[in-house]
């Protein structure tokens, strides 16, 4: 059984790597490499796996799930310029892929216990582009 | 190959267990434990697995799929107070998790035959909270 | 210039009038007359009219708008059985039309001041059914 | 008769006024005043009024409508940090209200001719917050 | 007070006028002029104006509203090639504008009586393109 | 890690098999067997599996992904009557299932290379009906 909670945050980012030249960044990322940055209303879907408790009928305490996601992800990312304000994006390109890995690492310890397990993190950069990460080798 | 049909119904429920005290229910479920109940526009996504028929190009007869879901789920749940009117929710908390298990049990016999197999039931309690159930150990 | 803020709440209701017989209620409201009630994820869109302030660029302080809607509407309606817990729905049928009028009355005094004016209240009962109320003769 | 075309762009902005102190900006705009900026997937709905041509059945040439919106709005705003890269937001706070006025001014001359007239500009900053501007006194 | 009901239908159409040459049709409508046709999941929003009845709380009988829209619009348009099967589109281009006028004419007599009045018809050709018609001079 | 790009196209189709009689087609497909055809705004979600590049942070070059999908799918299907204009639908029923298989075959060679692999194709015929195909035995 899987349970998924969706939250949203607004942030800005630049897609450019310090390991590439300006021209390489431009060719690879196009307008997303603009150094002033641009932004998105990101959506995050966090999926936890477990069995519903016979008494409560819940895979995990839903209020705790919401609290953890808010404290560990929304409060960290919301209304931020990711490259400048949210490590590790000072040295890693904040693509949707890398955001998914970072969100996983922020949540895994808190959600994988007491019989439940973090199963997946989905990041929507726009409604038409999203990534899924399931932990392990990225 | 998977095919998924989505339907919606409106129902009300209370999240409280007779095995817990009032205080425990309140702490666990918060406002959802209010005994008068509250409601949702639930969405159900039913996924069937199979191979498309070489002649018809369909995994299963789509009209039959719609008919079964309407008869076995929508007509049973729609415009009902689940705890009072839809067994087993007289003695089981109607969380999204338990609704998914009940929908599975209502559909499995009808959809797992003639070369197709019920693969998953997804229940959206709100657009921001959903569960997936794949049968077997819940 | 209009600015619109959307919020959601979950509630249950029964559509039946004490002035009508059981049979009349059933004929008029169908399944919605079921006395146990049923529920919806309601969405409320509150629209305020005004001119943006030359310094702040805002029609009204957005945090105040959100706070008023939460305090006067969401906290009152959310997770409630409207007929039993939210006056005036003890004696008025909680159709979307009457909810819109009640929401207007709860908000008008708070939003129609300091150069702005409550312009419209839209209530979605489902994504496919909504009403708009602009104040005055209902 | 009205026809409305919706487009989207991704941009970042800061909500702070040079006419206010840091503390005033913080109190007024909260997290949105963070000087690094944050971003949104903005949606723009452009509404044109006119009568459908008896031969073509169109209020205006739809390809021209799309072209004008892309050239005058999307290409200017998309993947930009509005305060730093898109005048007049170097000296005006890029609230949704002010963006709507600016979009109107960029489009009005191009769309109000040949029997049609720009009727409204709607800006969604998020799916839950939008403004409408109809020209004239803002 | 306005109440709006939304329905959907799937149909195909060609945008070309018999009064124009092939080349003119191609230049004006582009790919939409392809004579084999193409299709859409159209959405129709029908808005009725009136005052809620003091006893029932409804602007008009909601079941009647749904029945009229289904009988007069959905059953006529759904799963049809509009140019070939739904007059007047044998001689009028089925643009969203002209569909809105035709839907208005099919509904007006049925909805403008008993104290209510047809207020608007909105046709979504795609989620990003819609028209509004309010009756009278088109 | 999975990355998914969504695109849309508008097309029309008929669901009828030349191997079945008129009556069989009518019984099986209902209104969808109407020989004039009807249409949909189809959505296609293409999912690619891979590991994000340590320098670029991307599973694959996003611009290439978009270009391939546009060239191989959107340009082929958009504004077409599938049975008449897009092989193999001259002899195979264009159900959502068969469209998913055809889209897979058009994309697999282009996306399964350089360390990434086509993982899934999802086709939405309407928002309430979709299929998933993962390659191999259909």
């Amino acid at each position: 059984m899987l349970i998924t909670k969706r939250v949203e945050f607004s942030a800005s980012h630049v897609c450019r790597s310090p390991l590439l030249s300006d021209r390489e960044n431009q060719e690879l990322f196009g307008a997303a490499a603009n150094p002033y940055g641009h932004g998105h209303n990101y959506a995050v879907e966090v999926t936890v796996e477990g069995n519903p408790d016979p008494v409560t009928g819940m895979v995990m305490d839903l209020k705790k799930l919401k609290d953890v996601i808010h404290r560990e992800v929304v409060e960290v990312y919301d209304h931020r310029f990711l490259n400048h304000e949210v490590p590790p994006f000072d040295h890693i390109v904040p693509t949707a892929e890398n955001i998914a890995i970072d969100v996983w690492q922020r949540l895994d310890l808190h959600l994988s216990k007491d019989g439940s397990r973090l199963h997946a993190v989905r990041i929507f950069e726009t409604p038409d582009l999203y990534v899924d990460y399931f932990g392990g080798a990225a």
Side-chain angles (χ1 to χ4, degrees), chain A:
Chain A
M1 176 82 78
L2 305 175
I3 185 162
T4 299
K5 175 66 189 165
R6 177 186 173 105
V7 297
E8 300 184 15
F9 64 86
S10 297
S12 56
H13 72 156
V14 177
C15 290
R16 60 188 304 128
S17 166
L19 303 176
L20 302 175
S21 69
D22 275 8
R23 187 173 157 185
E24 287 169 319
N25 275 305
Q26 186 61 38
E27 281 181 1
L28 188 61
F29 295 110
N34 167 19
Y36 284 109
H38 63 283
H40 300 289
N41 302 321
Y42 288 92
V44 183
E45 294 191 354
V46 177
T47 301
V48 172
E49 182 184 0
N51 292 319
D53 179 273
V55 172
T56 68
M58 294 195 289
V59 163
M60 72 170 284
D61 183 323
L62 194 53
K63 284 187 297 181
K64 282 189 192 163
L65 175 58
K66 292 178 187 175
D67 287 348
V68 166
I69 298 173
H70 266 273
R71 192 184 66 228
E72 301 295 329
V73 178
V74 177
E75 288 181 16
V76 172
Y77 277 76
D78 194 33
H79 283 78
R80 296 293 170 192
F81 191 148
L82 300 183
N83 308 59
H84 292 283
E85 300 183 278
V86 183
F89 301 118
D90 50 339
H91 64 282
I92 290 179
V93 187
T95 55
E97 289 93 326
N98 281 339
I99 292 173
I101 296 171
D102 185 58
V103 167
W104 178 282
Q105 289 169 348
R106 291 175 186 274
L107 292 176
D108 190 24
L109 275 180
H110 302 281
L111 297 180
S112 295
K113 62 178 183 181
D114 303 333
S116 66
R117 197 179 67 80
L118 180 57
H119 173 75
V121 169
R122 176 173 285 187
I123 304 288
F124 284 86
E125 191 170 289
T126 69
D128 293 342
L129 185 72
Y130 60 89
V131 301
D132 294 282
Y133 179 59
F134 304 93

